[in-house]
Amino acid sequence: MMLSWKQLILLSFIGCLGGELLLQGPVFIREPSNSIFPVGSEDKKVTLNCEARGNPSPHYRWQLNGSDINLSMEYRYKLNGGNLVVLNPNRNWDTGSYQCFATNSLGTIVSREAKLQFAYLENFKTKMRSTVSVREGQGVVLLCGPPPHSGELSYAWIFNEYPSFVEEDSRRFVSQETGHLYIAKVEPSDVGNYTCVVTSTVTNARVLGSPTPLVLRSDGVMGEYEPKIEVQFPETLPAAKGSTVKLECFALGNPIPQINWRRSDGLPFSSKIKSRKFNGVLEIPNFQQEDAGSYECLAENSRGKNVARGRLTYYAKPHWVQLIKDVEIAVEDNLYWECRASGKPKPSYRWLKNGEALVLEERIQIENGALTISNLNVTDSGMFQCIAENKHGLVYSSAELKVVAAAPDFSKTPMKKLIQVQVGSVVSLDCKPRASPRALSSWKKGDAIVQENERISFLKGGGLKIANVTKADVGTYTCIAENQFGKANGTTYLVVTEPTRITLAPSNMDVSVGESVILPCQVQHDPLLDIMFTWYFNGALTDFKKDGSHFEKVGGSSSGDLMIRNIQLKHSGKYVCMVQTGVDSVSSAADLIVRGSPGPPENVKVDEITDTTAQLSWKEGTDNHSPVISYSVQARTPFSVGWQTATTVPEVPPSEVSGGGGSRSELVITWDPVPEELQNGEGFGYVVAFRPLGVTNWIQTVVTSPDTPRYVFRNESIMPFSLYEVKVGVYNNKGEGPFSPVTTVFSAEEEPTVAPSQVSANSLSSSEIEVSWNAVPWKLSNGHLLGYEVRYWNNGGEEELSSKVKVAGNETSARLRGLKSNLAYYTAVRAYNSAGTGPFSDTVNATTKKTPPSQPPGNVVWNATDTKVLLNWEQVKAMENESEVTGYKVFYRTSSQSNVQVLNTNKTSAELLLPIKEDYIIEVKATTDGGDGTSSEQIRIPRITNMDARGSTSAISNVHSVSSYIPIVLFFIVNALW
């Protein structure tokens, strides 16, 4: 029984507000499936399954071929739950398509269609069959003609009498499509009676036809002839996805034809395709779209060949790609429900509501399977089904549409009682009551209505966003949510705090065993917030109870200092102070290195003993962050008093073994000599071993002087800048000691062989010339290019007495400074590296400019107001040996500052926009190609106390008005400078 509109609204309110009744529309758990009932079966009933869940529990009804089944006919039908039981099934009345309808108060759904079929096999008619007379060598077809039946059949033939069945081979073939027996070439042994046997694969019933006699004609033997194909597949055969396809082909002919298969497009068969019955059947399991296409059966013998062709087409029943799902949506909203299915041909769609075709109207539309309903109302609620179908089948997808109407309610989604944020952060206050339709939200802070501004904005979901939070934002915020069914309020209290900062952080420390240290961790935090300090040691939380003998937290409420008493080696590692509040957290880390005495040598062994010596070896123990300087070996005998120091051969190899550099064809090896106290006896020296990288054998030499720090190996075969492995060992009169670890060094580089190109010189002033060039081509295999040497001399000097400037390797220009004015200078450039210098470039020259004028700008006059300064001065005229004046620079600064501002002008006047709130110092210089000229006398412009002031570098009577002077185009706005 369907509920009324008012009842649906009431249920919607209950479902949204109370949540006590968990109503659910029907959902199928089991649906009916196709059934075949064997006629004559001892079982006198058929059960079609149907079960659905829902709240309230669904009730059921059934249809047969679109008409309701009268379940009151108890002698024919019985309803067992939702299952339909058909009693004493009859093929004349009960054959057809069945559907189950499940209904509760929320709607109705319809099951998929299930077909009920009846399998039977009647007897052959008893009439005798005519004798078939053929020549020897001729082909023949014996017809079966199965009796009336329903359901799949299989065929076989009896030769003469049971149980002698015809064995199929390349000459004899029984078609499972027609039931006929085909003999490609009749032989005398084939003469006899043939009986067709038909079996139902459903009921296993078997019937036999009348015998067909086969005799030979007496008019001779049939001659050879080309194949004639008698069994072939259709020209077009639809095949379902996933099915097993069997194609039959058999030919009559003399000699017996050979059957072969191929694809017309020439593609090879996939491995899954098999041939059966002496190539008479081609079997394609799990048929897929790539298996579709044209297939050929080729029958061939010595007299010729024949071909049969047919096309397999692919089809697929609809299969869901996207199902519809239950939807709960507010009144007046819009619904978009999409279902999609794949299939071939492409499926079409239709929709049901509560088991009946959905009625379309202006606000209810279906397009490409998608259902849209605009401006929903409660009566739109119900059970909906999307049906995707093509000519090969159809599928159903079911879901419930709940259109709900409810006033706003915060009980399920309450607002946070308290929100804490930092000053300057961004906070969002959520307001998400359950409401149908969606509620409109407004906000109050205290009793004042909140308005949007540059910091405050209303969010799309009803929330409130406050950017750049300040202390003034503290307070109670109320969200008022309202729709046509009512309204509700929710509140949040916003607390704004200052950010937590670490004011004194722990720092890396290097201590010795037994010391006590304090790792500081002090913070500044908002007094409204509780603060908690935690320490982590090597990633693990510090347990102050477990490690109380060493670790202790000290300090006040804003301090979490960590004291470590009696430090041990195990306390080396990373310490992290974590500071947490209810709003934020900060941390700082420090590394603590604990140094101690070295651990004992490990795995000490006596390797060899002679009359006067003992060979000892051991492995290094832990150095405990203090590198081992030396080892002391002590020994004792039954006759000695205690332990005594033993005389040893060297145990310490040279350190800092390195090398490189030198001249062409040299390998330079260097080391730090071993101190005398570690030489352990007379006759101390070094064994130097080296070899090219990748070579097995070492080249060795001896350096007899204990103070020598290097060895140079010279040989023309040494390639420039080649890698060598080197090691340096030690020896004394007692024997050889250990070698240093193997390290790699480069042989000497090759000096540059190419001069820099495109060298040019450009005069910058009366004392500077810039020289530039293109870098020389250089390969890393040649070594490292250290830089360039620039050589220069003047016109009156000698090249041999030239000066030099060096620049780094990546530089391609250099400035020559301190030059004489108005004088020609010559220069050349060459590259250099550790092996030496390369050839010089071609010589170029440039002439320094004349010196700037020695005459300073004279008679500088100023006129100041409270916002600007007007300047004027006399023109500077250059002498014949001086550079021409190209403009002027005005230098100005306040008396309290050292930074000077510069104004460039090509006139003899200037206007500075300056607030005269303190004294200003001003100078003027002429500018030339040769540099800046002599500065004018400094002008001090005092802070202006009245509206106007004037002054000059000469007597005040020389002041002239500059109001008619043309100001320069470029101004400096003082606000941009200070």
Side-chain angles (χ1 to χ4, degrees), residues 468 707 919 977:
N468 194 19
D707 299 325
D919 294 357
L977 302 175

Side-chain angles (χ1 to χ4, degrees), residues 556-687:
S557 61
S558 296
S559 175
D561 297 352
L562 175 65
M563 173 179 279
I564 311 176
R565 293 188 179 91
N566 188 23
I567 284 182
Q568 301 300 309
L569 292 170
K570 66 181 180 180
H571 295 140
S572 290
K574 180 179 287 294
Y575 289 80
V576 178
C577 176
M578 177 72 72
V579 187
Q580 293 175 300
T581 69
V583 177
D584 60 354
S585 65
V586 291
S587 65
S588 183
D591 289 321
L592 182 63
I593 297 176
V594 181
R595 300 187 187 277
S597 301
E602 299 174 354
N603 197 23
V604 179
K605 293 188 299 185
V606 178
D607 297 321
E608 182 181 345
I609 298 177
T610 68
D611 292 341
T612 59
T613 64
Q615 179 73 36
L616 301 182
S617 66
W618 60 84
K619 291 184 179 179
E620 291 183 357
T622 57
D623 64 7
N624 295 328
H625 302 291
S626 297
V628 175
I629 298 174
S630 64
Y631 292 93
S632 174
V633 179
Q634 294 182 325
R636 72 177 182 180
T637 70
F639 309 103
S640 64
V641 179
W643 292 93
Q644 297 181 353
T645 301
T647 304
T648 65
V649 296
E651 295 299 344
V652 179
S655 61
E656 302 299 326
V657 176
S658 184
S663 301
R664 180 200 290 266
S665 301
E666 289 185 347
L667 174 65
V668 179
I669 304 170
T670 62
W671 60 88
D672 285 352
V674 175
E676 184 177 358
E677 63 270 19
L678 300 179
Q679 294 175 5
N680 294 325
E682 300 295 329
F684 183 85
Y686 302 98
V687 179

Side-chain angles (χ1 to χ4, degrees), residues 1-3 8 11 23-24 26 55-57 59 103-107:
M1 184 178 197
M2 300 302 294
L3 295 182
L8 283 170
L11 286 175
L23 301 178
Q24 183 185 30
N55 188 15
S57 296
H59 58 272
T103 302
N104 68 7
S105 57
L106 296 178

Side-chain angles (χ1 to χ4, degrees), residues 211-520:
T212 301
L214 177 65
V215 299
L216 290 180
R217 290 168 54 176
S218 58
D219 54 351
V221 177
M222 183 76 172
E224 293 184 352
Y225 64 97
E226 66 180 18
K228 178 184 179 184
I229 296 178
E230 289 289 345
V231 180
Q232 63 185 68
F233 48 96
E235 290 186 1
T236 301
L237 179 63
K241 176 183 177 182
S243 65
T244 296
V245 178
K246 294 181 179 180
L247 305 179
E248 292 185 339
C249 183
F250 192 78
L252 310 182
N254 186 7
I256 300 169
Q258 176 69 38
I259 304 295
N260 288 297
W261 295 87
R262 67 188 180 193
R263 289 187 60 137
S264 301
D265 55 14
L267 293 175
F269 286 151
S270 65
S271 59
K272 69 179 180 179
I273 297 178
K274 307 295 182 184
S275 59
R276 310 288 186 193
K277 297 173 67 169
F278 299 90
N279 276 9
V281 175
L282 185 71
E283 184 176 294
I284 308 174
N286 190 23
F287 189 82
Q288 300 295 322
Q289 190 157 2
E290 59 267 22
D291 297 320
S294 181
Y295 288 76
E296 296 181 354
C297 167
L298 179 65
E300 187 173 10
N301 64 11
S302 59
R303 304 299 296 178
K305 61 182 176 180
N306 208 342
V307 178
R309 295 182 179 88
R311 176 172 295 276
L312 291 181
T313 60
Y314 170 87
Y315 75 85
K317 298 177 181 179
H319 174 76
W320 285 120
V321 175
Q322 180 174 336
L323 297 164
I324 58 174
K325 298 180 180 179
D326 293 345
V327 174
E328 184 176 304
I329 194 167
V331 294
E332 300 180 359
D333 275 359
N334 298 326
L335 169 70
Y336 179 81
W337 230 348
E338 184 181 16
C339 62
R340 287 189 291 116
S342 62
K344 188 171 183 179
K346 185 177 179 181
S348 60
Y349 301 89
R350 54 190 172 94
W351 285 75
L352 305 179
K353 179 185 178 184
N354 294 327
E356 298 179 356
L358 182 62
V359 178
L360 302 183
E361 53 184 79
E362 183 176 353
R363 66 186 190 90
I364 302 176
Q365 296 293 326
I366 299 174
E367 184 175 356
N368 295 327
L371 170 64
T372 56
I373 305 178
S374 57
N375 192 25
L376 286 162
N377 57 60
V378 178
T379 59
D380 291 320
S381 297
M383 298 302 301
F384 286 75
Q385 291 178 282
C386 176
I387 303 173
E389 58 187 331
N390 62 18
K391 64 182 181 179
H392 302 291
L394 71 168
V395 287
Y396 290 73
S397 177
S398 306
E400 180 183 354
L401 171 61
K402 287 184 181 178
V403 181
V404 293
D409 174 39
F410 284 94
S411 63
K412 298 296 183 184
T413 56
M415 296 175 61
K416 292 183 179 179
K417 298 298 182 185
L418 178 69
I419 295 179
Q420 294 180 326
V421 295
Q422 291 182 11
V423 170
S425 63
V426 177
V427 64
S428 294
L429 308 182
D430 288 336
C431 179
K432 297 179 179 179
R434 296 184 65 176
S436 299
R438 182 183 300 173
L440 297 177
S441 300
S442 59
W443 286 83
K444 284 185 177 182
K445 180 188 177 190
D447 295 329
I449 296 175
V450 177
Q451 304 286 348
E452 281 191 303
N453 56 36
E454 66 275 4
R455 288 197 311 115
I456 299 176
S457 57
F458 298 129
L459 301 177
K460 186 176 180 181
L464 180 67
K465 180 180 178 182
I466 306 175
N468 194 19
V469 173
T470 68
K471 288 282 190 178
D473 295 319
V474 173
T476 300
Y477 290 81
T478 302
C479 174
I480 303 100
E482 184 174 5
N483 65 13
Q484 65 264 45
F485 297 107
K487 65 179 179 180
N489 297 339
T491 60
T492 291
Y493 189 78
L494 180 64
V495 176
V496 181
T497 61
E498 295 291 341
T500 305
R501 293 192 298 272
I502 295 180
T503 56
L504 183 58
S507 58
N508 297 338
M509 299 185 72
D510 193 321
V511 298
S512 298
V513 169
E515 295 183 11
S516 296
V517 298
I518 292 180
L519 297 177

Side-chain angles (χ1 to χ4, degrees), residues 627-757:
V628 175
I629 298 174
S630 64
Y631 292 93
S632 174
V633 179
Q634 294 182 325
R636 72 177 182 180
T637 70
F639 309 103
S640 64
V641 179
W643 292 93
Q644 297 181 353
T645 301
T647 304
T648 65
V649 296
E651 295 299 344
V652 179
S655 61
E656 302 299 326
V657 176
S658 184
S663 301
R664 180 200 290 266
S665 301
E666 289 185 347
L667 174 65
V668 179
I669 304 170
T670 62
W671 60 88
D672 285 352
V674 175
E676 184 177 358
E677 63 270 19
L678 300 179
Q679 294 175 5
N680 294 325
E682 300 295 329
F684 183 85
Y686 302 98
V687 179
V688 181
F690 53 92
R691 64 186 179 189
L693 185 65
V695 175
T696 304
N697 296 326
W698 292 91
I699 302 172
Q700 291 192 355
T701 187
V702 173
V703 177
T704 58
S705 172
D707 299 325
T708 301
R710 68 197 302 263
Y711 171 75
V712 179
F713 175 68
R714 297 179 179 87
N715 194 295
E716 292 298 325
S717 65
I718 296 179
M719 298 299 294
F721 205 61
S722 299
L723 269 176
Y724 279 75
E725 291 183 316
V726 301
K727 59 182 179 179
V728 180
V730 291
Y731 71 93
N732 64 13
N733 290 340
K734 292 293 184 178
E736 290 189 5
F739 276 94
S740 67
V742 175
T743 186
T744 56
V745 300
F746 283 97
S747 63
E749 301 175 2
E750 183 180 23
E751 64 271 10
T753 58
V754 180
S757 61

